[in-house]
mmCIF file of all heavy atoms in Angstrom:
data_model
loop_
_atom_site.group_PDB
_atom_site.id
_atom_site.type_symbol
_atom_site.label_atom_id
_atom_site.label_comp_id
_atom_site.label_asym_id
_atom_site.label_seq_id
_atom_site.Cartn_x
_atom_site.Cartn_y
_atom_site.Cartn_z
ATOM 1 N N LEU A 886 125.706 -28.556 112.948
ATOM 2 C CA LEU A 886 124.264 -28.507 113.118
ATOM 3 C C LEU A 886 123.898 -27.104 113.606
ATOM 4 O O LEU A 886 124.684 -26.461 114.293
ATOM 5 C CB LEU A 886 123.743 -29.518 114.118
ATOM 6 C CG LEU A 886 123.647 -30.992 113.740
ATOM 7 C CD1 LEU A 886 123.271 -31.819 114.959
ATOM 8 C CD2 LEU A 886 122.654 -31.203 112.616
ATOM 9 N N ARG A 887 122.663 -26.705 113.245
ATOM 10 C CA ARG A 887 122.134 -25.464 113.800
ATOM 11 C C ARG A 887 120.814 -25.755 114.522
ATOM 12 O O ARG A 887 119.902 -26.248 113.876
ATOM 13 C CB ARG A 887 121.918 -24.389 112.747
ATOM 14 C CG ARG A 887 121.576 -23.039 113.364
ATOM 15 C CD ARG A 887 121.482 -21.903 112.397
ATOM 16 N NE ARG A 887 120.180 -21.771 111.774
ATOM 17 C CZ ARG A 887 119.608 -20.651 111.340
ATOM 18 N NH1 ARG A 887 120.319 -19.537 111.496
ATOM 19 N NH2 ARG A 887 118.442 -20.639 110.787
ATOM 20 N N LEU A 888 120.812 -25.455 115.805
ATOM 21 C CA LEU A 888 119.601 -25.644 116.594
ATOM 22 C C LEU A 888 118.836 -24.318 116.613
ATOM 23 O O LEU A 888 119.433 -23.231 116.636
ATOM 24 C CB LEU A 888 119.927 -26.050 118.014
ATOM 25 C CG LEU A 888 120.820 -27.281 118.200
ATOM 26 C CD1 LEU A 888 120.984 -27.592 119.670
ATOM 27 C CD2 LEU A 888 120.261 -28.472 117.447
ATOM 28 N N SER A 889 117.521 -24.434 116.642
ATOM 29 C CA SER A 889 116.624 -23.286 116.766
ATOM 30 C C SER A 889 115.721 -23.469 117.929
ATOM 31 O O SER A 889 115.351 -24.618 118.290
ATOM 32 C CB SER A 889 115.798 -23.110 115.483
ATOM 33 O OG SER A 889 116.612 -22.907 114.342
ATOM 34 N N CYS A 890 115.309 -22.368 118.549
ATOM 35 C CA CYS A 890 114.383 -22.413 119.641
ATOM 36 C C CYS A 890 113.408 -21.269 119.463
ATOM 37 O O CYS A 890 113.795 -20.070 119.525
ATOM 38 C CB CYS A 890 115.091 -22.262 120.962
ATOM 39 S SG CYS A 890 113.988 -22.070 122.394
ATOM 40 N N ALA A 891 112.162 -21.622 119.190
ATOM 41 C CA ALA A 891 111.107 -20.626 119.001
ATOM 42 C C ALA A 891 110.369 -20.442 120.304
ATOM 43 O O ALA A 891 109.937 -21.404 120.952
ATOM 44 C CB ALA A 891 110.144 -21.063 117.917
ATOM 45 N N ALA A 892 110.224 -19.188 120.693
ATOM 46 C CA ALA A 892 109.598 -18.848 121.952
ATOM 47 C C ALA A 892 108.262 -18.160 121.751
ATOM 48 O O ALA A 892 108.151 -17.290 120.854
ATOM 49 C CB ALA A 892 110.512 -17.994 122.811
ATOM 50 N N SER A 893 107.307 -18.514 122.569
ATOM 51 C CA SER A 893 106.059 -17.771 122.604
ATOM 52 C C SER A 893 106.058 -16.862 123.820
ATOM 53 O O SER A 893 106.860 -17.068 124.748
ATOM 54 C CB SER A 893 104.849 -18.710 122.676
ATOM 55 O OG SER A 893 104.899 -19.405 123.920
ATOM 56 N N GLY A 894 105.278 -15.818 123.810
ATOM 57 C CA GLY A 894 105.219 -14.927 124.952
ATOM 58 C C GLY A 894 106.000 -13.661 124.722
ATOM 59 O O GLY A 894 106.961 -13.629 123.939
ATOM 60 N N SER A 895 105.590 -12.623 125.402
ATOM 61 C CA SER A 895 106.120 -11.286 125.169
ATOM 62 C C SER A 895 107.452 -11.033 125.883
ATOM 63 O O SER A 895 108.081 -10.008 125.643
ATOM 64 C CB SER A 895 105.120 -10.258 125.603
ATOM 65 O OG SER A 895 104.858 -10.402 126.965
ATOM 66 N N ILE A 896 107.923 -11.973 126.709
ATOM 67 C CA ILE A 896 109.109 -11.684 127.500
ATOM 68 C C ILE A 896 110.409 -11.968 126.704
ATOM 69 O O ILE A 896 111.496 -11.646 127.178
ATOM 70 C CB ILE A 896 109.144 -12.463 128.817
ATOM 71 C CG1 ILE A 896 109.372 -13.968 128.564
ATOM 72 C CG2 ILE A 896 107.906 -12.201 129.601
ATOM 73 C CD1 ILE A 896 109.624 -14.755 129.841
ATOM 74 N N PHE A 897 110.279 -12.588 125.544
ATOM 75 C CA PHE A 897 111.471 -13.048 124.846
ATOM 76 C C PHE A 897 112.443 -11.898 124.655
ATOM 77 O O PHE A 897 113.652 -12.033 124.955
ATOM 78 C CB PHE A 897 111.113 -13.652 123.510
ATOM 79 C CG PHE A 897 112.324 -14.107 122.695
ATOM 80 C CD1 PHE A 897 112.873 -15.367 122.881
ATOM 81 C CD2 PHE A 897 112.897 -13.262 121.776
ATOM 82 C CE1 PHE A 897 113.997 -15.799 122.158
ATOM 83 C CE2 PHE A 897 114.011 -13.655 121.031
ATOM 84 C CZ PHE A 897 114.563 -14.920 121.242
ATOM 85 N N SER A 898 111.973 -10.790 124.115
ATOM 86 C CA SER A 898 112.898 -9.689 123.748
ATOM 87 C C SER A 898 113.527 -9.047 124.965
ATOM 88 O O SER A 898 114.536 -8.352 124.831
ATOM 89 C CB SER A 898 112.158 -8.649 122.908
ATOM 90 O OG SER A 898 111.118 -8.060 123.679
ATOM 91 N N LEU A 899 112.978 -9.303 126.127
ATOM 92 C CA LEU A 899 113.519 -8.698 127.372
ATOM 93 C C LEU A 899 114.440 -9.659 128.103
ATOM 94 O O LEU A 899 115.070 -9.287 129.080
ATOM 95 C CB LEU A 899 112.360 -8.312 128.304
ATOM 96 C CG LEU A 899 111.342 -7.336 127.742
ATOM 97 C CD1 LEU A 899 110.221 -7.118 128.742
ATOM 98 C CD2 LEU A 899 112.005 -6.026 127.392
ATOM 99 N N SER A 900 114.517 -10.893 127.645
ATOM 100 C CA SER A 900 115.142 -11.969 128.457
ATOM 101 C C SER A 900 116.488 -12.383 127.933
ATOM 102 O O SER A 900 116.736 -12.387 126.747
ATOM 103 C CB SER A 900 114.222 -13.176 128.479
ATOM 104 O OG SER A 900 112.939 -12.852 128.991
ATOM 105 N N THR A 901 117.317 -12.844 128.898
ATOM 106 C CA THR A 901 118.493 -13.616 128.537
ATOM 107 C C THR A 901 118.042 -15.021 128.185
ATOM 108 O O THR A 901 117.259 -15.618 128.893
ATOM 109 C CB THR A 901 119.482 -13.621 129.735
ATOM 110 O OG1 THR A 901 119.978 -12.331 129.962
ATOM 111 C CG2 THR A 901 120.661 -14.585 129.448
ATOM 112 N N MET A 902 118.559 -15.502 127.060
ATOM 113 C CA MET A 902 118.255 -16.845 126.588
ATOM 114 C C MET A 902 119.508 -17.696 126.706
ATOM 115 O O MET A 902 120.626 -17.221 126.600
ATOM 116 C CB MET A 902 117.762 -16.822 125.137
ATOM 117 C CG MET A 902 116.536 -16.001 124.927
ATOM 118 S SD MET A 902 115.108 -16.635 125.820
ATOM 119 C CE MET A 902 114.924 -18.220 125.033
ATOM 120 N N GLY A 903 119.290 -18.984 126.857
ATOM 121 C CA GLY A 903 120.440 -19.870 127.007
ATOM 122 C C GLY A 903 120.220 -21.212 126.336
ATOM 123 O O GLY A 903 119.075 -21.647 126.091
ATOM 124 N N TRP A 904 121.307 -21.863 126.015
ATOM 125 C CA TRP A 904 121.317 -23.275 125.618
ATOM 126 C C TRP A 904 122.098 -24.057 126.664
ATOM 127 O O TRP A 904 123.162 -23.635 127.100
ATOM 128 C CB TRP A 904 122.000 -23.442 124.246
ATOM 129 C CG TRP A 904 121.163 -22.988 123.103
ATOM 130 C CD1 TRP A 904 121.217 -21.822 122.434
ATOM 131 C CD2 TRP A 904 120.121 -23.745 122.457
ATOM 132 N NE1 TRP A 904 120.299 -21.757 121.427
ATOM 133 C CE2 TRP A 904 119.601 -22.940 121.416
ATOM 134 C CE3 TRP A 904 119.576 -25.015 122.621
ATOM 135 C CZ2 TRP A 904 118.575 -23.381 120.560
ATOM 136 C CZ3 TRP A 904 118.547 -25.427 121.809
ATOM 137 C CH2 TRP A 904 118.060 -24.605 120.790
ATOM 138 N N TYR A 905 121.539 -25.187 127.014
ATOM 139 C CA TYR A 905 122.169 -26.109 127.956
ATOM 140 C C TYR A 905 122.145 -27.508 127.342
ATOM 141 O O TYR A 905 121.418 -27.742 126.383
ATOM 142 C CB TYR A 905 121.359 -26.149 129.278
ATOM 143 C CG TYR A 905 121.335 -24.844 130.034
ATOM 144 C CD1 TYR A 905 120.584 -23.766 129.595
ATOM 145 C CD2 TYR A 905 122.106 -24.653 131.216
ATOM 146 C CE1 TYR A 905 120.573 -22.586 130.268
ATOM 147 C CE2 TYR A 905 122.073 -23.486 131.874
ATOM 148 C CZ TYR A 905 121.306 -22.421 131.433
ATOM 149 O OH TYR A 905 121.266 -21.225 132.096
ATOM 150 N N ARG A 906 122.940 -28.414 127.883
ATOM 151 C CA ARG A 906 122.894 -29.786 127.366
ATOM 152 C C ARG A 906 123.055 -30.761 128.516
ATOM 153 O O ARG A 906 123.684 -30.451 129.544
ATOM 154 C CB ARG A 906 123.976 -29.992 126.320
ATOM 155 C CG ARG A 906 125.391 -29.984 126.817
ATOM 156 C CD ARG A 906 126.370 -30.077 125.683
ATOM 157 N NE ARG A 906 127.750 -30.280 126.121
ATOM 158 C CZ ARG A 906 128.774 -30.284 125.282
ATOM 159 N NH1 ARG A 906 128.615 -30.173 123.977
ATOM 160 N NH2 ARG A 906 130.021 -30.465 125.756
ATOM 161 N N GLN A 907 122.506 -31.946 128.267
ATOM 162 C CA GLN A 907 122.588 -33.015 129.272
ATOM 163 C C GLN A 907 122.891 -34.329 128.588
ATOM 164 O O GLN A 907 122.091 -34.787 127.763
ATOM 165 C CB GLN A 907 121.275 -33.100 130.064
ATOM 166 C CG GLN A 907 121.347 -34.063 131.239
ATOM 167 C CD GLN A 907 120.161 -33.897 132.163
ATOM 168 O OE1 GLN A 907 119.134 -33.343 131.821
ATOM 169 N NE2 GLN A 907 120.328 -34.382 133.394
ATOM 170 N N ALA A 908 124.061 -34.892 128.889
ATOM 171 C CA ALA A 908 124.424 -36.187 128.374
ATOM 172 C C ALA A 908 123.885 -37.244 129.286
ATOM 173 O O ALA A 908 123.610 -36.996 130.467
ATOM 174 C CB ALA A 908 125.936 -36.264 128.265
ATOM 175 N N PRO A 909 123.722 -38.473 128.783
ATOM 176 C CA PRO A 909 123.205 -39.564 129.625
ATOM 177 C C PRO A 909 124.011 -39.756 130.906
ATOM 178 O O PRO A 909 125.224 -39.833 130.893
ATOM 179 C CB PRO A 909 123.320 -40.780 128.706
ATOM 180 C CG PRO A 909 123.266 -40.251 127.340
ATOM 181 C CD PRO A 909 123.972 -38.923 127.391
ATOM 182 N N GLY A 910 123.316 -39.767 132.041
ATOM 183 C CA GLY A 910 123.941 -40.006 133.307
ATOM 184 C C GLY A 910 124.712 -38.802 133.846
ATOM 185 O O GLY A 910 125.423 -38.926 134.900
ATOM 186 N N LYS A 911 124.572 -37.657 133.208
ATOM 187 C CA LYS A 911 125.319 -36.468 133.655
ATOM 188 C C LYS A 911 124.343 -35.335 133.964
ATOM 189 O O LYS A 911 123.171 -35.400 133.609
ATOM 190 C CB LYS A 911 126.318 -36.058 132.609
ATOM 191 C CG LYS A 911 127.422 -37.054 132.369
ATOM 192 C CD LYS A 911 128.489 -36.502 131.450
ATOM 193 C CE LYS A 911 129.626 -37.510 131.292
ATOM 194 N NZ LYS A 911 130.746 -36.951 130.445
ATOM 195 N N GLN A 912 124.856 -34.335 134.657
ATOM 196 C CA GLN A 912 124.019 -33.169 134.959
ATOM 197 C C GLN A 912 123.850 -32.279 133.733
ATOM 198 O O GLN A 912 124.590 -32.399 132.761
ATOM 199 C CB GLN A 912 124.664 -32.383 136.089
ATOM 200 C CG GLN A 912 125.966 -31.707 135.713
ATOM 201 C CD GLN A 912 126.533 -30.928 136.915
ATOM 202 O OE1 GLN A 912 126.205 -31.154 138.076
ATOM 203 N NE2 GLN A 912 127.438 -29.996 136.618
ATOM 204 N N ARG A 913 122.862 -31.402 133.811
ATOM 205 C CA ARG A 913 122.625 -30.447 132.738
ATOM 206 C C ARG A 913 123.606 -29.302 132.886
ATOM 207 O O ARG A 913 123.720 -28.697 133.944
ATOM 208 C CB ARG A 913 121.171 -29.929 132.813
ATOM 209 C CG ARG A 913 120.753 -29.139 131.614
ATOM 210 C CD ARG A 913 119.253 -28.820 131.664
ATOM 211 N NE ARG A 913 118.451 -30.010 131.637
ATOM 212 C CZ ARG A 913 117.118 -30.001 131.589
ATOM 213 N NH1 ARG A 913 116.456 -28.833 131.533
ATOM 214 N NH2 ARG A 913 116.450 -31.128 131.635
ATOM 215 N N ASP A 914 124.339 -29.015 131.822
ATOM 216 C CA ASP A 914 125.384 -28.018 131.856
ATOM 217 C C ASP A 914 125.091 -26.873 130.904
ATOM 218 O O ASP A 914 124.500 -27.041 129.840
ATOM 219 C CB ASP A 914 126.749 -28.634 131.470
ATOM 220 C CG ASP A 914 127.252 -29.600 132.507
ATOM 221 O OD1 ASP A 914 127.011 -29.392 133.690
ATOM 222 O OD2 ASP A 914 127.958 -30.572 132.092
ATOM 223 N N LEU A 915 125.609 -25.708 131.249
ATOM 224 C CA LEU A 915 125.488 -24.553 130.385
ATOM 225 C C LEU A 915 126.319 -24.718 129.137
ATOM 226 O O LEU A 915 127.459 -25.167 129.170
ATOM 227 C CB LEU A 915 125.996 -23.305 131.144
ATOM 228 C CG LEU A 915 126.091 -22.028 130.332
ATOM 229 C CD1 LEU A 915 124.697 -21.510 129.999
ATOM 230 C CD2 LEU A 915 126.905 -20.975 131.068
ATOM 231 N N VAL A 916 125.725 -24.323 128.004
ATOM 232 C CA VAL A 916 126.452 -24.248 126.755
ATOM 233 C C VAL A 916 126.815 -22.791 126.425
ATOM 234 O O VAL A 916 127.942 -22.436 126.228
ATOM 235 C CB VAL A 916 125.655 -24.860 125.575
ATOM 236 C CG1 VAL A 916 126.363 -24.654 124.245
ATOM 237 C CG2 VAL A 916 125.410 -26.370 125.831
ATOM 238 N N ALA A 917 125.756 -21.974 126.399
ATOM 239 C CA ALA A 917 125.951 -20.554 126.076
ATOM 240 C C ALA A 917 124.717 -19.748 126.460
ATOM 241 O O ALA A 917 123.613 -20.315 126.548
ATOM 242 C CB ALA A 917 126.192 -20.387 124.552
ATOM 243 N N THR A 918 124.909 -18.472 126.679
ATOM 244 C CA THR A 918 123.785 -17.549 126.933
ATOM 245 C C THR A 918 123.951 -16.296 126.087
ATOM 246 O O THR A 918 125.083 -15.982 125.615
ATOM 247 C CB THR A 918 123.712 -17.148 128.411
ATOM 248 O OG1 THR A 918 124.918 -16.472 128.776
ATOM 249 C CG2 THR A 918 123.475 -18.347 129.310
ATOM 250 N N ILE A 919 122.849 -15.643 125.876
ATOM 251 C CA ILE A 919 122.857 -14.368 125.133
ATOM 252 C C ILE A 919 121.829 -13.439 125.817
ATOM 253 O O ILE A 919 120.697 -13.828 126.010
ATOM 254 C CB ILE A 919 122.599 -14.566 123.631
ATOM 255 C CG1 ILE A 919 122.672 -13.267 122.883
ATOM 256 C CG2 ILE A 919 121.239 -15.277 123.405
ATOM 257 C CD1 ILE A 919 122.702 -13.444 121.363
ATOM 258 N N THR A 920 122.266 -12.229 126.122
ATOM 259 C CA THR A 920 121.355 -11.264 126.764
ATOM 260 C C THR A 920 120.424 -10.661 125.722
ATOM 261 O O THR A 920 120.606 -10.864 124.504
ATOM 262 C CB THR A 920 122.134 -10.144 127.439
ATOM 263 O OG1 THR A 920 122.777 -9.341 126.444
ATOM 264 C CG2 THR A 920 123.172 -10.704 128.421
ATOM 265 N N ASN A 921 119.458 -9.896 126.202
ATOM 266 C CA ASN A 921 118.546 -9.246 125.261
ATOM 267 C C ASN A 921 119.235 -8.239 124.368
ATOM 268 O O ASN A 921 118.734 -7.937 123.278
ATOM 269 C CB ASN A 921 117.379 -8.620 126.015
ATOM 270 C CG ASN A 921 117.814 -7.531 126.962
ATOM 271 O OD1 ASN A 921 118.948 -7.509 127.433
ATOM 272 N ND2 ASN A 921 116.922 -6.614 127.276
ATOM 273 N N SER A 922 120.404 -7.774 124.773
ATOM 274 C CA SER A 922 121.159 -6.808 123.965
ATOM 275 C C SER A 922 122.253 -7.485 123.128
ATOM 276 O O SER A 922 123.015 -6.822 122.447
ATOM 277 C CB SER A 922 121.774 -5.732 124.861
ATOM 278 O OG SER A 922 122.635 -6.326 125.809
ATOM 279 N N GLY A 923 122.325 -8.814 123.225
ATOM 280 C CA GLY A 923 123.254 -9.562 122.355
ATOM 281 C C GLY A 923 124.604 -9.888 122.954
ATOM 282 O O GLY A 923 125.488 -10.397 122.224
ATOM 283 N N VAL A 924 124.787 -9.679 124.226
ATOM 284 C CA VAL A 924 126.043 -10.056 124.873
ATOM 285 C C VAL A 924 126.038 -11.564 125.099
ATOM 286 O O VAL A 924 125.102 -12.122 125.672
ATOM 287 C CB VAL A 924 126.232 -9.303 126.202
ATOM 288 C CG1 VAL A 924 127.505 -9.782 126.898
ATOM 289 C CG2 VAL A 924 126.253 -7.810 125.950
ATOM 290 N N THR A 925 127.112 -12.221 124.661
ATOM 291 C CA THR A 925 127.146 -13.683 124.728
ATOM 292 C C THR A 925 128.152 -14.169 125.756
ATOM 293 O O THR A 925 129.125 -13.468 126.128
ATOM 294 C CB THR A 925 127.527 -14.261 123.377
ATOM 295 O OG1 THR A 925 128.805 -13.742 122.964
ATOM 296 C CG2 THR A 925 126.490 -13.924 122.333
ATOM 297 N N ASN A 926 127.921 -15.388 126.200
ATOM 298 C CA ASN A 926 128.808 -16.051 127.141
ATOM 299 C C ASN A 926 128.815 -17.551 126.790
ATOM 300 O O ASN A 926 127.739 -18.097 126.492
ATOM 301 C CB ASN A 926 128.326 -15.875 128.569
ATOM 302 C CG ASN A 926 129.207 -16.579 129.588
ATOM 303 O OD1 ASN A 926 130.383 -16.323 129.694
ATOM 304 N ND2 ASN A 926 128.633 -17.478 130.340
ATOM 305 N N TYR A 927 129.976 -18.168 126.865
ATOM 306 C CA TYR A 927 130.099 -19.562 126.436
ATOM 307 C C TYR A 927 130.845 -20.382 127.514
ATOM 308 O O TYR A 927 131.765 -19.901 128.185
ATOM 309 C CB TYR A 927 130.900 -19.712 125.133
ATOM 310 C CG TYR A 927 130.232 -19.073 123.962
ATOM 311 C CD1 TYR A 927 130.489 -17.755 123.592
ATOM 312 C CD2 TYR A 927 129.361 -19.794 123.164
ATOM 313 C CE1 TYR A 927 129.890 -17.162 122.510
ATOM 314 C CE2 TYR A 927 128.737 -19.229 122.057
ATOM 315 C CZ TYR A 927 129.012 -17.900 121.759
ATOM 316 O OH TYR A 927 128.412 -17.365 120.668
ATOM 317 N N ALA A 928 130.464 -21.647 127.634
ATOM 318 C CA ALA A 928 131.286 -22.567 128.395
ATOM 319 C C ALA A 928 132.608 -22.727 127.644
ATOM 320 O O ALA A 928 132.662 -22.653 126.414
ATOM 321 C CB ALA A 928 130.592 -23.906 128.525
ATOM 322 N N ASP A 929 133.658 -22.913 128.410
ATOM 323 C CA ASP A 929 135.002 -22.962 127.845
ATOM 324 C C ASP A 929 135.156 -23.953 126.680
ATOM 325 O O ASP A 929 135.773 -23.703 125.669
ATOM 326 C CB ASP A 929 136.051 -23.217 128.909
ATOM 327 C CG ASP A 929 136.264 -22.030 129.831
ATOM 328 O OD1 ASP A 929 135.883 -20.910 129.446
ATOM 329 O OD2 ASP A 929 136.815 -22.245 130.931
ATOM 330 N N SER A 930 134.553 -25.123 126.856
ATOM 331 C CA SER A 930 134.746 -26.168 125.849
ATOM 332 C C SER A 930 134.035 -25.895 124.549
ATOM 333 O O SER A 930 134.250 -26.562 123.533
ATOM 334 C CB SER A 930 134.287 -27.543 126.397
ATOM 335 O OG SER A 930 132.908 -27.497 126.720
ATOM 336 N N MET A 931 133.154 -24.896 124.528
ATOM 337 C CA MET A 931 132.395 -24.579 123.331
ATOM 338 C C MET A 931 132.949 -23.342 122.599
ATOM 339 O O MET A 931 132.587 -23.092 121.470
ATOM 340 C CB MET A 931 130.934 -24.295 123.648
ATOM 341 C CG MET A 931 130.097 -25.492 123.962
ATOM 342 S SD MET A 931 130.674 -26.327 125.453
ATOM 343 C CE MET A 931 129.229 -27.198 126.002
ATOM 344 N N LYS A 932 133.822 -22.607 123.284
ATOM 345 C CA LYS A 932 134.327 -21.389 122.680
ATOM 346 C C LYS A 932 135.049 -21.698 121.370
ATOM 347 O O LYS A 932 135.890 -22.596 121.301
ATOM 348 C CB LYS A 932 135.285 -20.678 123.639
ATOM 349 C CG LYS A 932 134.574 -20.025 124.807
ATOM 350 C CD LYS A 932 135.559 -19.350 125.765
ATOM 351 C CE LYS A 932 134.851 -18.709 126.926
ATOM 352 N NZ LYS A 932 135.794 -18.096 127.891
ATOM 353 N N GLY A 933 134.720 -20.934 120.346
ATOM 354 C CA GLY A 933 135.358 -21.138 119.033
ATOM 355 C C GLY A 933 134.657 -22.144 118.168
ATOM 356 O O GLY A 933 134.921 -22.213 116.956
#
């Protein structure tokens, strides 16, 4: 699947963006982040 997130507002290009997920009965966890310059970071279970 490919998820998309459309943002309004002028801060998008300056901001680090992230995806998180929350399963039923569990806390919200980090999936991945990307800085405004394109540097990425992933939770270990999502790498690859």
Side-chain angles (χ1 to χ4, degrees):
L886 283 175
R887 188 173 87 150
L888 306 183
S889 299
C890 172
S893 65
S895 60
I896 69 170
F897 178 86
S898 63
L899 302 176
S900 301
T901 294
M902 300 297 297
W904 285 98
Y905 295 74
R906 69 184 188 185
Q907 187 168 19
K911 296 188 176 182
Q912 67 180 19
R913 191 173 298 185
D914 290 328
L915 173 71
V916 174
T918 60
I919 184 167
T920 68
N921 61 336
S922 59
V924 177
T925 58
N926 179 60
Y927 296 90
D929 287 343
S930 62
M931 285 63 156
K932 288 180 180 177

